[in-house]
Amino acid sequence: MRKTLYLKFLLAYLIFGIFGFIFVATFVSSMTKDHLITVQSEKLYETATVVANTYAVDLYNNNTALDTVKNQLDALDQYLKSEVWIINPSGRLILSSRNPIDVETEIMIENFDPTVYGGKNYAEGTFFNYFEEEHLSVFSPITAEFKVKGYVVIHYPMTEIEQELNSLLIIDYMVLLILFILSMIILIFFTEVVYGPIRKITEATEQYASGNMHYELQMDSDDEIGYLGATVSYMAQEIARSEDDQKKFVANVSHDFRSPLTSIKGYLEAMKDGTIPVEMHDKYLGIVLNETERLKKLTDGLLTLNNLNTAGMLLDISEFDINKVIRAITETFEGSCIKKTIAVELILSGEELYVKADAEKIKQVIYNLLDNAIKFSHPESIIKIETSEKKNKVYVSVKDSGIGIPKDQLSQVFDRFYKSDLSRGKDKKGTGLGLSITREIIRAHGENINVISTEGIGSEFIFSLPVTDGPDESEDDI
């Protein structure tokens, strides 16, 4: 699969979304949690310090009763949603907001040592394995007479911090989602303003690379991309003009001379060796003279053919009877048909059917199509040439029962020098230019030519021409 610029941009967009999610889930989550712990610990430490400097120190100085301090701790527990302790330096629990006063029962915190936390006034965890769940524990010393008498410890459940963290992260994810959606504007803008025009230019260059130099590239933008598209289009036109004027001219002329010369040679040899009886010589000499006249006209038209332009070749438009042209061309192939025992069936619409076109060029088209049909038909088969009229158009069909064209090669049959693998054994002398010339002639008339083919069954070529009511006075003899 080819990695297009658009796919890369879309991939970058998705990577942006994925990494944004990962960033929020890791770095933002961690930083937010640290911030919440810092804020909560400072809040609790301030409270613990106040308690240590008032109620707790009064308790140790015997200035207040144990019940009074317990009531204050219970009130703080409700307000802070935290468990409040007063504990001795040895680890003996004096008061707890969650436990009733019991001077008989001693509760010890094993291994209690606030110095293990260094200079911090809070700790995270189970507080010397006392709790089953993690807590944020903040402690403040109770000092009297310059001695530490005990500590006020406040335990805040970490689950409360996690809930607050999750609430903030939901907001972060919503903001990230909104940014991700809004960033689609950039993707849409890129698609419309950058990728779309670049794709048009790419398609045009592919057409030019395949030989279709007349492909039209239309750009609507006036920026650098639009200028690039206009430059590519102009380049293709210049290449088409130069290459078509040189290569097509030489190739087409060579092919046009070969066909009538082959016909002349065949008839003269047949008359010389007696294949054509003497009494038929006048008829076939007339055909030969007709072919030599065609060669003369081809020679006279060399300069005209050389003046090809981007719209195609120059045409000598006239009104003529297409049925008469078909009959005349069919007669020139009589020898080839007899040699291969092939019959040509003419299904013509009426005695006369006039079209408006270049008579010599259309004669060349029919000649090429019939020549191909005979070349690739099986012996003792039938070739059908049919004319029909429909919606101000005349349709000419040349249908054979030959080897056919593979389905995957149908799009290439009109390419210059194209010869299918199936035809190579039968078309030893062909140049692969006949159908290409045929298509160019029909296109020059502003008409279409199509092919219908089934491998092993045969092919049918159909082209259209504009119909007309009758001949011009200046119509040439066909």
Side-chain angles (χ1 to χ4, degrees):
M1 178 179 174
R2 184 175 61 178
K3 294 183 179 179
T4 64
L5 181 63
Y6 186 76
L7 182 61
K8 292 177 181 178
F9 197 82
L10 183 61
L11 183 62
Y13 178 73
L14 294 176
I15 291 175
F16 164 75
I18 294 171
F19 275 92
F21 176 82
I22 294 174
F23 180 78
V24 171
T26 55
F27 295 103
V28 174
S29 176
S30 177
M31 290 186 293
T32 304
K33 184 177 180 180
D34 291 342
H35 175 73
L36 291 175
I37 290 174
T38 301
V39 171
Q40 188 65 27
S41 64
E42 289 176 354
K43 175 182 176 182
L44 295 176
Y45 181 72
E46 290 177 1
T47 304
T49 301
V50 172
V51 174
N53 294 331
T54 56
Y55 304 109
V57 73
D58 288 344
L59 179 64
Y60 275 94
N61 291 332
N62 296 319
N63 294 329
T64 186
L66 195 63
D67 291 340
T68 303
V69 177
K70 176 69 165 64
N71 291 335
Q72 295 297 329
L73 297 186
D74 291 345
L76 284 174
D77 188 313
Q78 294 295 322
Y79 175 72
L80 298 174
K81 297 180 182 180
S82 305
E83 187 172 349
V84 185
W85 288 357
I86 294 179
I87 188 172
N88 282 343
S90 62
R92 182 174 180 269
L93 185 60
I94 305 300
L95 281 177
S96 172
S97 62
R98 301 287 173 90
N99 297 327
I101 298 174
D102 186 359
V103 295
E104 301 296 332
T105 303
E106 184 181 82
I107 300 175
M108 293 294 297
I109 306 301
E110 299 293 335
N111 301 319
F112 174 71
D113 182 10
T115 61
V116 300
Y117 298 113
K120 294 197 301 182
N121 55 17
Y122 69 91
E124 300 174 49
T126 58
F127 198 74
F128 299 101
N129 299 320
Y130 180 81
F131 297 105
E132 293 183 358
E133 297 180 355
E134 291 191 348
H135 284 70
L136 173 63
S137 302
V138 177
F139 41 87
S140 178
I142 304 170
T143 58
E145 297 177 357
F146 304 103
K147 292 183 180 180
V148 176
K149 301 293 185 178
Y151 295 90
V152 175
V153 184
I154 302 177
H155 303 287
Y156 187 77
M158 289 297 293
T159 54
E160 294 292 332
I161 293 179
E162 293 290 343
Q163 290 179 3
E164 189 174 357
L165 173 64
N166 291 334
S167 299
L168 293 175
L169 285 180
I170 290 174
I171 297 175
D172 292 336
Y173 285 127
M174 291 298 296
V175 172
L176 178 64
L177 180 62
I178 292 172
L179 289 175
F180 189 72
I181 294 174
L182 290 177
S183 63
M184 289 185 67
I185 298 174
I186 300 176
L187 184 63
I188 296 172
F189 179 82
F190 172 81
T191 302
E192 294 296 327
V193 178
V194 179
Y195 178 74
I198 288 178
R199 184 59 191 155
K200 286 183 179 180
I201 295 174
T202 303
E203 291 176 356
T205 55
E206 289 174 350
Q207 290 288 333
Y208 301 149
S210 65
N212 184 14
M213 292 296 176
H214 300 292
Y215 180 84
E216 292 186 7
L217 174 60
Q218 296 181 349
M219 301 294 293
D220 299 327
S221 59
D222 297 327
D223 53 15
E224 289 81 359
I225 294 179
Y227 180 75
L228 174 62
T231 303
V232 171
S233 179
Y234 177 76
M235 177 190 68
Q237 293 174 8
E238 291 300 310
I239 293 174
R241 203 173 356 250
S242 61
E243 288 189 353
D244 289 354
D245 288 352
Q246 296 175 20
K247 295 182 180 180
K248 288 184 180 180
F249 172 76
V250 175
N252 292 355
V253 169
S254 299
H255 185 273
D256 289 346
F257 269 95
R258 173 174 291 181
S259 296
L261 285 174
T262 301
S263 179
I264 292 171
K265 182 175 180 290
Y267 285 123
L268 291 177
E269 288 178 346
M271 286 187 287
K272 182 179 179 181
D273 60 21
T275 303
I276 297 177
V278 176
E279 58 271 17
M280 298 289 291
H281 281 192
D282 287 343
K283 174 184 175 181
Y284 288 98
L285 284 174
I287 295 174
V288 169
L289 287 174
N290 190 41
E291 290 298 288
T292 56
E293 181 63 23
R294 182 172 175 225
L295 283 175
K296 181 179 179 299
K297 289 183 178 181
L298 284 173
T299 304
D300 294 339
L302 285 178
L303 292 177
T304 302
L305 289 175
N306 192 38
N307 293 326
L308 295 175
N309 53 38
T310 56
M313 59 189 70
L314 299 177
L315 301 176
D316 181 16
I317 301 298
S318 63
E319 296 180 358
F320 61 93
D321 182 5
I322 188 68
N323 289 346
K324 181 180 179 182
V325 170
I326 292 173
R327 293 189 190 99
I329 293 175
T330 303
E331 289 182 0
T332 64
F333 284 96
E334 184 177 341
S336 300
C337 292
I338 292 174
K339 186 176 180 180
K340 291 189 67 173
T341 62
I342 292 174
V344 178
E345 180 180 352
L346 302 182
I347 307 174
L348 306 180
S349 179
E351 277 297 315
E352 296 179 341
L353 183 59
Y354 285 90
V355 296
K356 190 172 184 178
D358 187 318
E360 287 303 314
K361 296 294 187 299
I362 298 304
K363 185 176 182 181
Q364 183 181 351
V365 168
I366 299 171
Y367 194 101
N368 288 343
L369 293 179
L370 184 55
D371 183 47
N372 270 358
I374 294 172
K375 189 181 301 180
F376 300 119
S377 288
H378 300 299
E380 299 182 358
S381 62
I382 297 176
I383 297 173
K384 294 182 180 180
I385 303 179
E386 181 178 357
T387 59
S388 59
E389 183 179 349
K390 185 178 180 181
K391 294 182 179 180
N392 298 323
K393 296 284 185 182
V394 170
Y395 293 90
V396 180
S397 166
V398 179
K399 184 176 182 181
D400 63 61
S401 302
I403 61 176
I405 303 168
K407 185 177 180 180
D408 60 344
Q409 299 181 27
L410 274 176
S411 61
Q412 307 173 43
V413 294
F414 293 108
D415 291 348
R416 190 189 304 160
F417 304 114
Y418 166 79
K419 296 175 75 176
S420 71
D421 294 336
L422 294 176
S423 71
R424 292 188 184 277
K426 296 177 175 289
D427 188 19
K428 293 182 175 61
K429 297 182 179 180
T431 63
L433 291 170
L435 293 179
S436 177
I437 295 171
T438 297
R439 180 180 63 175
E440 291 182 14
I441 292 174
I442 296 301
R443 280 184 173 180
H445 285 77
E447 300 294 332
N448 296 310
I449 181 168
N450 297 306
V451 57
I452 303 171
S453 183
T454 303
E455 187 176 344
I457 295 178
S459 303
E460 180 180 11
F461 289 85
I462 305 170
F463 66 90
S464 61
L465 292 172
V467 70
T468 185
D469 295 331
D472 293 331
E473 293 181 0
S474 59
E475 178 186 3
D476 291 332
D477 239 353
I478 304 300

